[in-house]
């Protein structure tokens, strides 16, 4: 079965990256999570990235803040898709992370989601896997329908009570 690898540079990133885990769990996709640093443990990182394909990973989701080398380094080694999640930083609000991940050199693509956008990274990984998995594609369609119905319910409630009352209930 296809798996997704989820990596992050620090355990402080886990509250954000857990949102990708939640999406993958909901859709029944197998994944592994680990903390790994391209800077502090390059030998272990290289082993991880080089062996990921052989372990069945089809996508790696890499969360990183600051210099944010992790997604790009993973993409340089791992031959399949890498999705970068820029993590918000105190100094620059995550813009530094975003720029580091999105500005990859030609030939080393990293799909990049919004700052702290791990849920979308999980969905993008699922959509990549769904290109060859019709059962997963149906689950994604059902998920989209659930999102739609949630908005429809909110609109119906707003239409029924007016915006000021709705705001009081939020």
């Amino acid at each position: 079965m296809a798996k997704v690898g989820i990596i992050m540079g620090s355990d402080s990133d886990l509250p954000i990256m857990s949102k990708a885990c939640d999406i993958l769990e909901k859709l029944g996709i197998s994944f592994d999570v680990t903390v790994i640093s391209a800077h502090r443990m390059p030998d272990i990182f290289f082993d991880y990235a080089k062996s990921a394909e052989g372990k069945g990973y089809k996508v790696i989701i890499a969360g990183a803040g600051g210099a944010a080398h992790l997604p790009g380094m993973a993409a340089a080694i791992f031959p399949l898709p890498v999705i970068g999640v820029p993590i918000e930083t105190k100094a620059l609000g995550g813009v530094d992370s975003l720029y580091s991940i999105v500005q990859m050199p030609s030939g080393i693509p990293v799909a990049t989601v919004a700052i702290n956008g791990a849920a979308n990274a999980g969905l993008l990984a699922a959509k990549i896997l769904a290109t060859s998995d019709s059962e997963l594609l149906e689950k994604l369609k059902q998920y989209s329908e659930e999102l739609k119905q949630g908005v429809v319910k909110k609109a119906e409630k707003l239409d029924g009570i007016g915006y000021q009352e709705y705001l009081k209930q939020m």
Side-chain angles (χ1 to χ4, degrees), residues 139-150:
K139 289 179 182 179
L140 281 165
K141 289 177 181 178
Q142 181 181 348
Y143 179 82
S144 292
E145 183 61 28
E146 290 170 11
L147 291 177
K148 174 185 169 186
Q149 291 307 315

Side-chain angles (χ1 to χ4, degrees), residues 89-136:
T89 58
K90 291 179 185 173
L92 298 172
V95 174
D96 50 341
S97 311
L98 174 64
Y99 287 165
S100 291
I101 296 170
V102 79
Q103 293 294 337
M104 291 302 300
S106 181
I108 312 294
V110 175
T112 309
V113 296
I115 297 167
N116 290 350
N120 273 350
L123 285 168
L124 181 55
K127 288 183 175 198
I128 290 168
L129 297 175
T131 62
S132 61
D133 184 334
S134 58
E135 184 179 324
L136 179 55

Side-chain angles (χ1 to χ4, degrees), residues 17-120:
M17 297 303 289
S18 68
K19 294 172 182 164
C21 301
D22 293 344
I23 292 291
L24 296 174
E25 277 184 349
K26 179 176 179 66
L27 296 170
I29 298 170
S30 179
F31 64 92
D32 294 321
V33 182
T34 193
V35 174
I36 196 163
S37 173
H39 293 115
R40 294 182 184 95
M41 48 198 294
D43 53 336
I44 295 171
F45 168 76
F46 282 117
D47 287 345
Y48 175 89
K50 284 183 179 184
S51 66
E53 182 185 10
K55 292 178 181 174
Y57 296 120
K58 299 297 182 191
V59 179
I60 291 177
I61 299 172
H69 285 85
L70 195 61
M73 289 300 298
I77 299 167
F78 181 64
L80 293 168
V82 173
I83 302 167
V85 180
I87 302 293
E88 185 175 354
T89 58
K90 291 179 185 173
L92 298 172
V95 174
D96 50 341
S97 311
L98 174 64
Y99 287 165
S100 291
I101 296 170
V102 79
Q103 293 294 337
M104 291 302 300
S106 181
I108 312 294
V110 175
T112 309
V113 296
I115 297 167
N116 290 350
N120 273 350

